[in-house]
Amino acid sequence: MKFFSNTLIFKRITILVSFVIVALILWNTYTFFQKFKQAERDKMEIHGEAIKELNTESIEELDKNISGLPLSIISRTKDIPFILVNADGKIKGSNNLNPKKENDPEYLKAQLEIMKSQNQPIRVDYLGKTDYIYYRDSDLLNKLTYYPLALILILVLFLAVIYLFYSSSKAAETNKLWTGMAKETAHQIGTPLSSLLGWISILKMEKVDETYIEEIEKDVHRLNTIANRFSKIGSKPALKKENIVAITKQAFDYLESRSSKQISFSFVSSDDEVFTNLNTELFGWVIENLIKNAIDAMLGKGKLTLQIENVSKKIKITVTDTGKGISKKRYKQIFKPGFTTKKRGWGLGLSLSKRIIEDYHNGKIFVKKSEIDKGTTFQILLNKV
């Protein structure tokens, strides 16, 4: 218990530390992004000053002194797209845009709108005139904007992996628990079964009515079948070529003889013999689960039909009742462990049935159709041998 508690604390600390690390990376990225953005603005302001210098000094003055620097600044501003606009909003020039479209007025107008939405313009005053430099973020800065989103996506994926890991771990632990309980139940049933077999032998020697002994033997056989079913949970059962009609009819007859006489039972099969690979004990359990569910749904009164169809390479087994029905949104829910509409029971019957048919027998089990207050049809599909 102490180990489990320490493991849980360690997992929580790991998650918390991961959150803190990702949060720090995001904050650092945001800070760097803002500094980079400000650096680009500073660069454009210097560019504006260079334009101002060029417009206020004569060519002779530029040649005489080192103020040829403005030309150098302007020529080296190659990574930030910008447009120069006069006070009337007329475009005077542009740079670092798509060279194939620089002379397209519509393209320039669209780029100008983008620039207006991204950054405040830089004002350039000279000789009583005013120009404005509009610019947008460089390609490098645009790429950086996606970096935090990538980190968030990584965080989401990280959390999803953790969730799936814990879910699968929890499911595995639950499965181990149920498997252990099932095997222990099978073991516990074995002791009284041996004793009952001994008592049956004594009753035969005492010449008790054979009818009574036969009924007791049936129930003992039934208990033995149940014990074998539970012992097989959690391990891959052996499959043998069996006549599915005979196996299904056996389970059907057993429940019919022990059910309300107000239920009309009907067994229909297109053939007397249809073969498939089966584990007879587990498959019989599935049929019994479906029939019991049908009986419960009809509240002990109605019509129950079990039909077997030999169709091409498939075998179809359908169980139809005239019970209360199932809403469409619950068609898949009812096969989940723990789901039940009954006041008693653990909701494992259909979950086990699905596992037996789909995991062990490579088949399918599903609700074929259902109508509220009219009835439900379950169908099993198996491969024919």
Side-chain angles (χ1 to χ4, degrees):
M1 197 70 184
K2 186 178 179 181
F3 172 77
F4 176 78
S5 177
N6 290 339
T7 305
L8 187 62
I9 292 169
F10 175 75
K11 287 176 181 177
R12 287 178 178 174
I13 290 172
T14 303
I15 294 170
L16 182 62
V17 169
S18 302
F19 266 113
V20 170
I21 291 170
V22 172
L24 288 172
I25 292 171
L26 286 172
W27 174 253
N28 186 59
T29 305
Y30 173 77
T31 306
F32 175 73
F33 178 81
Q34 293 302 319
K35 287 180 179 179
F36 199 90
K37 194 174 179 71
Q38 184 59 45
E40 288 198 347
R41 184 165 184 85
D42 293 342
K43 201 173 188 181
M44 291 311 299
E45 285 177 350
I46 293 170
H47 187 91
E49 289 295 324
I51 291 174
K52 183 178 177 179
E53 287 292 323
L54 282 175
N55 282 284
T56 55
E57 292 188 13
S58 64
I59 299 297
E60 291 78 10
E61 288 174 325
L62 288 172
D63 287 338
K64 285 178 184 177
N65 53 46
I66 59 168
S67 59
L69 182 62
L71 282 172
S72 176
I73 291 170
I74 290 171
S75 64
R76 290 184 182 184
T77 309
K78 295 180 179 179
D79 56 340
I80 305 172
F82 67 89
I83 294 174
L84 185 65
V85 177
N86 65 17
D88 296 327
K90 186 178 178 181
I91 296 174
K92 294 177 69 176
S94 64
N95 208 352
N96 304 325
L97 294 171
N98 189 335
K100 295 179 181 179
K101 296 183 178 180
E102 279 189 337
N103 296 321
D104 183 352
E106 292 300 320
Y107 170 74
L108 291 175
K109 191 183 292 184
Q111 289 297 311
L112 185 58
E113 290 302 316
I114 294 170
M115 293 174 184
K116 286 179 179 180
S117 67
Q118 284 191 357
N119 298 291
Q120 289 294 319
I122 294 167
R123 181 171 174 150
V124 182
D125 295 313
Y126 60 95
L127 303 175
K129 297 180 181 180
T130 302
D131 287 343
Y132 295 94
I133 299 174
Y134 287 93
Y135 69 99
R136 63 178 170 83
D137 299 335
S138 65
D139 291 339
L140 179 60
L141 194 60
N142 284 329
K143 289 175 182 177
L144 279 174
T145 58
Y146 295 106
Y147 186 65
L149 294 176
L151 283 175
I152 291 170
L153 180 61
I154 290 168
L155 178 61
V156 170
L157 290 173
F158 174 71
L159 291 174
V161 169
I162 289 174
Y163 174 76
L164 291 172
F165 173 74
Y166 287 145
S167 297
S168 60
S169 297
K170 190 175 180 181
E173 288 175 8
T174 304
N175 283 337
K176 284 181 181 178
L177 176 63
W178 286 118
T179 301
M181 286 178 64
K183 290 185 180 295
E184 180 61 22
T185 301
H187 177 71
Q188 294 293 337
I189 290 174
T191 304
L193 266 179
S194 301
S195 179
L196 284 171
L197 289 170
W199 282 108
I200 289 171
S201 299
I202 292 171
L203 289 173
K204 285 180 178 178
M205 288 191 293
E206 294 292 328
K207 297 182 179 180
V208 175
D209 191 333
E210 286 292 328
T211 307
Y212 299 149
I213 295 174
E214 283 176 10
E215 290 301 316
I216 293 171
E217 282 183 326
K218 285 180 184 177
D219 286 330
V220 168
H221 177 71
R222 169 73 176 169
L223 283 171
N224 190 53
T225 301
I226 291 169
N228 286 336
R229 287 172 181 172
F230 276 101
S231 68
K232 286 179 172 61
I233 291 177
S235 55
K236 197 78 173 176
L239 305 181
K240 288 169 59 180
K241 183 179 176 181
E242 301 281 359
N243 178 11
I244 197 169
V245 179
I247 302 300
T248 306
K249 187 72 166 67
Q250 186 180 352
F252 182 88
D253 290 344
Y254 178 83
L255 287 176
E256 181 183 10
S257 65
R258 285 159 175 76
S259 299
S260 168
K261 301 303 177 186
Q262 291 183 300
I263 295 176
S264 171
F265 283 80
S266 175
F267 184 93
V268 182
S269 178
S270 57
D271 297 280
D272 292 333
E273 290 187 342
V274 184
F275 291 94
T276 185
N277 290 322
L278 281 181
N279 180 281
T280 57
E281 289 162 343
L282 293 181
F283 179 74
W285 197 357
V286 173
I287 297 300
E288 288 174 18
N289 275 329
L290 293 180
I291 293 173
K292 284 178 181 177
N293 278 344
I295 292 169
D296 290 340
M298 294 186 290
L299 301 176
K301 186 178 181 180
K303 184 177 180 180
L304 189 150
T305 304
L306 193 152
Q307 185 174 7
I308 299 176
E309 294 178 83
N310 183 1
V311 183
S312 185
K313 296 181 180 180
K314 295 287 182 182
I315 303 166
K316 292 182 180 179
I317 304 107
T318 54
V319 178
T320 305
D321 64 62
T322 55
K324 57 188 178 182
I326 304 165
S327 61
K328 202 160 189 176
K329 64 181 180 181
R330 287 184 169 179
Y331 278 16
K332 291 185 179 179
Q333 265 185 300
I334 58 174
F335 290 103
K336 292 181 179 178
F339 181 85
T340 180
T341 56
K342 303 170 191 175
K343 291 182 180 178
R344 292 188 299 171
W346 290 358
L348 295 175
L350 287 175
S351 173
L352 282 169
S353 298
K354 186 177 179 69
R355 184 169 183 177
I356 290 167
I357 294 297
E358 298 189 358
D359 293 355
Y360 296 161
H361 289 85
N362 250 3
K364 291 284 181 186
I365 181 170
F366 54 92
V367 179
K368 186 180 179 183
K369 64 176 182 178
S370 185
E371 288 185 57
I372 301 298
D373 297 327
K374 288 189 177 181
T376 301
T377 298
F378 282 89
Q379 187 166 86
I380 298 170
L381 295 178
L382 292 173
N383 295 317
K384 188 169 62 175
V385 175

